[in-house]
Structure formats: C-alpha cells, structure tokens
Amino acid sequence: MMADAGVKEVICNEDIDIIFCAENKHKPNMEYETFLNMLPKLAMEASTDAKKNKKDSLDNFIRDYLFPLYDKIKDSSEFGVDDEKIREPLDENIIMVLFSVHNVLCKIY
C-alpha cells in the first residue's frame, strides 16, 4: 500500500518496515486501529518540515499520499463505478415502491 501511495519515494523500505513491526507487534496482518495508530508515525517520518508539527504532518500525509491513492483506486476499479451509482438520485417511482413494501421487508429481514 505504501508503494502504491508513493510513500516509498520519501521513506525507505527499512523505516517503513520498522514502523510496521513496532506498531503491529510482528504480526503478518494489521488491524484497522493499528493502521490508524501507525499513520502519524509515517507522517512524521515523511515530513520534510524541520519543525515537524504532528497534526500538520498527518494532514499533509493524508492529502499528499492517501487521497491520491484513493482516487487512483476509485478510477481504476469497479469501486468507483459503484460509488457513483450510489450517489445518483433515486427515481420517484422506486421510492414509492420501496416505501410500500418497507414493512414487509422489515418483517422478512
């Protein structure tokens, strides 16, 4: 993921691996909460600012690396198509049909 996001251009593999192992306690897979805890450390490491404000570093890291990765995934996969379909407005007829069967669907579910 870090390679796809372009982070390896500013942080070497060894530093990423050290942060990963320290946060993940040498487990092969990472839980979401662990990933969230690791982000500020990666952001501080990637920061080129000498003062290294933690909040600003994290904001820049997300803006510069994670948002572009999200856009790349969205544009190159069916995820982006599904996301756009979900955002389309619903037809009034569909809303009326769903409203009329709502109670029955709730009982079935």
Side-chain angles (χ1 to χ4, degrees), residues 2-108:
M2 294 298 122
D4 292 337
V7 174
K8 289 188 175 187
E9 295 172 11
V10 293
I11 306 175
C12 68
N13 283 342
E14 291 80 18
D15 289 343
I16 292 173
D17 289 343
I18 289 169
I19 294 170
F20 176 85
C21 289
E23 280 299 311
N24 205 37
K25 312 289 188 245
H26 300 282
K27 298 176 195 167
N29 297 315
M30 181 179 291
E31 293 182 9
Y32 184 66
E33 185 176 330
T34 305
F35 172 73
L36 293 178
N37 291 333
M38 190 174 86
L39 284 180
K41 293 176 181 167
L42 287 170
M44 293 294 286
E45 190 68 32
S47 177
T48 56
D49 184 12
K51 296 178 184 175
K52 288 193 176 185
N53 177 324
K54 194 177 217 178
K55 180 186 176 299
D56 291 339
S57 294
L58 183 58
D59 287 344
N60 292 337
F61 186 80
I62 292 170
R63 184 192 66 235
D64 295 343
Y65 298 104
L66 298 184
F67 283 165
L69 177 61
Y70 169 78
D71 290 337
K72 187 166 55 170
I73 291 169
K74 188 175 120 185
D75 293 342
S76 65
S77 68
E78 290 183 19
F79 172 71
V81 174
D82 291 342
D83 190 44
E84 289 178 18
K85 286 180 183 176
I86 288 173
R87 296 177 193 274
E88 290 178 1
L90 291 175
D91 183 358
E92 288 292 322
N93 293 330
I94 293 173
I95 293 173
M96 290 175 56
V97 169
L98 289 174
F99 184 72
S100 68
V101 297
H102 176 262
N103 290 334
V104 173
L105 292 176
C106 286
K107 288 180 183 178
I108 292 171

